[in-house]
Amino acid sequence: MEFVNLKATELRLGLPGRDETEEQSSSCAKNNKRSSSEMESSSEHQESGAPPPKAQVVGWPPVRSYRKNVLQQQKKPESDGSGMFVKVSMDGAPYLRKIDLKCYKNYFDLLKALENMFKCTIGVYSEREGYNGSEYAPTYEDKDGDWMLVGDVPWDMFITSCKRLRIMKGSEAKGLGCL
Amino acid sequence: MAYSFPEEVLEHVFSFLSSDRDRNAVSLVCKSWYEIERWCRRRIFIGNCYAVSPDIVIRRFPEVRALEMKGKPHFADFNLVPEGWGGYVHPWIRAMSAAYPLLEEIKLKRMVVTDESLELIARSFKNFKVLVLSSCEGFTTDGLASIAANCRNLRELDLRESEVEDLSGHWLSHFPDNCTSLVSLNMSCLGSEVSFSALERLVARCPNLRTLRLNRAVPLEKLPNLLHRAPQLVELGTGAYSAEIRSDIFSNLTEAFSVCKQLKGLSGFWDAIPAFLPAMYSVCSGITSLNLSYATIQSPDLVKLVSQCRNLQRLWVLDYIEDTGLEALAASCKDLQELRVFPSDPFGAEPNVALTEQGLVSVSEGCPKLQSVLYFCRQMSNAALVTIARNRPEMIRFRLCIIEPQAPDYLTLEPLDTGFGAIVENCKELRRLSMSGLLTDKVFEYIGNHAKKLEMLSIAFAGDSDLGLHHVLSGCESLRKLEIRDCPFGDKALLANAAKLETMRSLWMSSCSVSFGACKLLGQKMPRLNVEVIDERGPPDSRPESCPVEKLYVYRTVAGRRADMPGFVWKMDGDKALSADGSGNKPREVVERLGSSYAINFCTWLSYSLQSVPNTDARIITCMGQRNLFC
């Protein structure tokens, strides 16, 4: 039968379970930063350049996950380079395409790109007539799930609310243009 | 004399007692008062769901109408409690669905709630009125749909900070057209969009709606529609506070706010754009509570807003406010009681804002009613803490998080013992304290000596030895909750103060130096405590007795061991470590030998340690030793 490790119950002022007697040095000198223990060894190399990213301790600083996530999202709104890809379908086409809305500065650029991609003519937008007169009308599904005509709202509002694009054939699109 | 009063009279008198403490006192007077009181207790608060069982509660209090209960330990907020630990509410709902058909209110915090539970609530309680789920998880929007559809008299649905699996926004449309009873709706934690027209109609038909907290997906342009339909709102949480900068959107918003003359509280403000802040100016003078902690707005715009809120009592804000902003706050908001400053970049290596200890000092100087503080910063000094303590002796809650663990006083490089010592010495009403920075055993001595009203203490990366823990456990008379992480506290102080643990709700220790052997001993000697070891490395008895456990959670209970422990939690029971399946394998004799050697060594250790501490009452040490040792 094994005996209890009496050393573990030995009286001491330092951390139980450790052997070093120098643990009893004054607390001012204590530099046992658990979070940056990896930094201790690299401190001599920190002459220039940004300090290396700190090893993250679980649950420290004590910020709740929801808050952390919200801040992360807001800090890099569009600079993370992930793009704003939406599907584009065209009536009659065998497969869909995907485009990055962030690549375009305005409706003109977008429509030109779509015309190129699908080899079609979309024509010019007018508030009263929509795309009347052209063979195709570009439409998009917004955040509410409604199908809208491309061009009615300001560009910035469009790219944030557009979930997917559909290029409708002229005959169907007539309904949209004549509102 | 009790016999000469009819029961109804006593019941009527007792109905004026709302505090649990008063009711508990009343029930101890005599048997007949106990009986009368238990039949007329309507509200129950259970601070730890495992401290008691549903059967025990139902047996004693047969006519409960409102239940408030908490589950997981506080450190679960910071991911220190593994998934699957427990805190399931379903057994309670099941038991109450049979026993309390007239139940009206359920308020839960840090508990696991399933759709099944929500459906059972919706089916079982015909008069259900209030559901508050604070930091809960485990349910989806389908469960919410059940509640919306079936609770005819629903008054409050508050999901604050819960983690909801968001399947769709359709749940809101399940409120029937004849539901007009809503007083409070908080859906701020949800991600998906609800049908705006359904929301509009719901708001329009609930004339008593006082609190409406929208989620981020509700666009700012549509907010006026809601405000016009609910001008009686007292608390509003906006959705995303940004839109295309257009004058019509701005003027609609301004007009809508001006119609809400009763607004006292504002929150939300995700993605806030400064251009739209002035739309709120008309309500600022009435605002007492402002939560801008999701608004990434810079200091000048924050100051413009906050300095209009002369009656502000509570402010939550990001550290973008900086020291200058806090100075302005201190100058304008003389009624301020609570300040919380959250970090905008908690994991950044370098400070990204000019927020230091000075901001907090300014507020402590300028705001005479300040009593509750939560402050994240990157530097602190003893001098600042001493100043704050002297300025605000009525402080009740003080939570300071210096982002770098074990950061010393940045001016003197000394530990922050003196500073926190001043806090506990001056602030005699202090009930809650969270500390950070470089701290030695000395600060715990101050706390043990002075913090007599302290109820909750949070410690991280602090202390040198068991003496620190011993000071706290032996000195803090009002202590109810103690949570410790990454401190060199071990077996001795814990075992010597075992009896203290029965006077507290709970103790949490993680990444400390408490050995498995000590945990077993504690569990053996204290049958009214559940001593639970949480260790994801596998069974603790597969490692040496002296090996420290990962996490320890100790709480008092009258319900015995819980039946829902997951595989990584072991209850220390008798002479065995009982895992979920009840197995264990250490002989009794070893544990007893361990116990006696601890006891002898502790006596010697205690007197040795305390010799170096001046002004200690030797008489108390001896009494302490006799009371707390159990060999």
Side-chain angles (χ1 to χ4, degrees), chain B residues 188-216:
Chain B
S188 53
C189 60
L190 297 179
S192 348
E193 243 183 298
V194 297
S195 153
F196 189 80
S197 49
L199 177 60
E200 233 178 348
R201 286 194 309 270
L202 179 65
V203 166
R205 64 177 183 270
C206 294
N208 298 318
L209 194 66
R210 293 275 173 277
T211 299
L212 179 63
R213 300 215 194 269
L214 305 168
N215 65 344
R216 200 171 177 178

Side-chain angles (χ1 to χ4, degrees), chain A residues 160-177:
Chain A
T160 53
S161 53
C162 171
K163 277 170 44 186
R164 58 186 297 169
L165 284 159
R166 176 183 163 202
I167 304 178
M168 269 186 192
K169 244 192 148 127
S171 45
E172 242 189 281
K174 273 217 157 51
L176 282 175

Side-chain angles (χ1 to χ4, degrees), chain A residues 9 12-13 15 27 30 32 54 57-60 62 64 66-68 71 73-75 143-144 154 157, chain B residues 78 135 161 193 216 244 271 293-294 343 345 347 376 403-404 406 440 463 465 485 488 594 601 605:
Chain A
T9 59
R12 53 175 69 203
L13 291 178
L15 298 172
S27 48
K30 193 163 168 194
N32 192 18
K54 302 231 171 124
V57 182
V58 173
W60 191 268
R64 305 192 52 188
Y66 177 76
R67 196 171 284 284
K68 273 188 280 191
L71 289 176
Q73 280 169 32
Q74 289 184 129
K75 265 174 49 160
K143 281 195 236 172
D144 289 326
M157 196 184 281
Chain B
F78 315 123
S135 306
E161 295 176 334
E193 243 183 298
R216 200 171 177 178
E244 207 197 333
D271 314 309
S293 63
Y294 297 111
D345 188 16
F347 304 111
F376 282 80
I403 289 183
E404 177 68 27
Q406 299 178 326
T440 72
S465 76
R485 62 162 297 175
L594 185 74
N601 280 313
W605 169 81

Side-chain angles (χ1 to χ4, degrees), chain B residues 11-67:
Chain B
E11 243 189 73
H12 183 68
V13 172
F14 296 166
S15 70
F16 292 100
L17 300 173
S18 50
S19 119
D20 278 353
R21 276 209 191 130
D22 290 342
R23 282 192 162 260
N24 291 343
V26 151
S27 62
L28 290 175
V29 166
C30 63
K31 280 198 181 138
S32 71
W33 280 36
Y34 176 91
E35 278 302 309
I36 297 168
E37 193 284 317
R38 79 182 186 93
W39 279 94
C40 68
R41 190 168 315 201
R42 297 281 177 263
R43 315 192 74 90
I44 303 276
F45 171 74
I46 300 172
N48 172 8
C49 63
Y50 292 120
V52 70
S53 72
D55 293 339
I56 295 174
V57 174
I58 291 170
R59 205 166 45 232
R60 177 161 173 199
F61 299 115
E63 298 279 343
V64 165
R65 300 270 193 275
L67 173 75

Side-chain angles (χ1 to χ4, degrees), chain B residues 517-561:
Chain B
C519 294
K520 282 199 293 188
L521 188 58
L522 189 63
Q524 181 201 1
K525 294 296 183 180
M526 307 296 293
R528 288 190 297 217
L529 296 178
N530 276 358
V531 178
E532 293 180 5
V533 166
I534 301 168
D535 211 315
E536 291 177 285
R537 297 172 296 181
D541 46 24
S542 61
R543 291 179 292 278
E545 294 259 323
S546 55
C547 189
V549 299
E550 268 181 1
K551 298 169 188 180
L552 173 67
Y553 186 52
V554 181
Y555 56 92
R556 65 181 174 190
T557 180
V558 295
R561 64 194 298 268

Side-chain angles (χ1 to χ4, degrees), chain B residues 267-377:
Chain B
S267 62
F269 299 110
W270 293 280
D271 314 309
I273 292 184
F276 283 108
L277 292 179
M280 296 186 330
Y281 284 176
S282 63
V283 297
C284 281
S285 59
I287 293 297
T288 56
S289 170
L290 188 54
N291 181 353
L292 293 168
S293 63
Y294 297 111
T296 50
I297 309 177
Q298 303 301 315
S299 185
D301 296 302
L302 285 171
V303 166
K304 269 190 229 144
L305 178 61
V306 155
S307 43
Q308 309 230 3
C309 302
R310 302 265 150 182
N311 288 310
L312 200 59
Q313 292 171 15
R314 185 196 314 169
L315 176 66
W316 292 19
V317 73
L318 284 171
D319 56 9
Y320 288 127
I321 194 167
E322 300 190 328
D323 289 344
T324 46
L326 290 174
E327 244 181 80
L329 176 71
S332 326
C333 304
K334 295 304 183 184
D335 274 353
L336 195 71
Q337 293 173 20
E338 177 178 326
L339 173 68
R340 295 198 190 188
V341 178
F342 295 95
S344 53
D345 188 16
F347 304 111
E350 299 298 317
N352 61 326
V353 291
L355 179 106
T356 68
E357 82 283 8
Q358 189 48 49
L360 186 55
V361 171
S362 308
V363 177
S364 77
E365 271 162 7
C367 301
K369 300 190 186 164
L370 188 71
Q371 52 169 232
S372 177
V373 167
L374 169 62
Y375 199 76
F376 282 80
C377 60

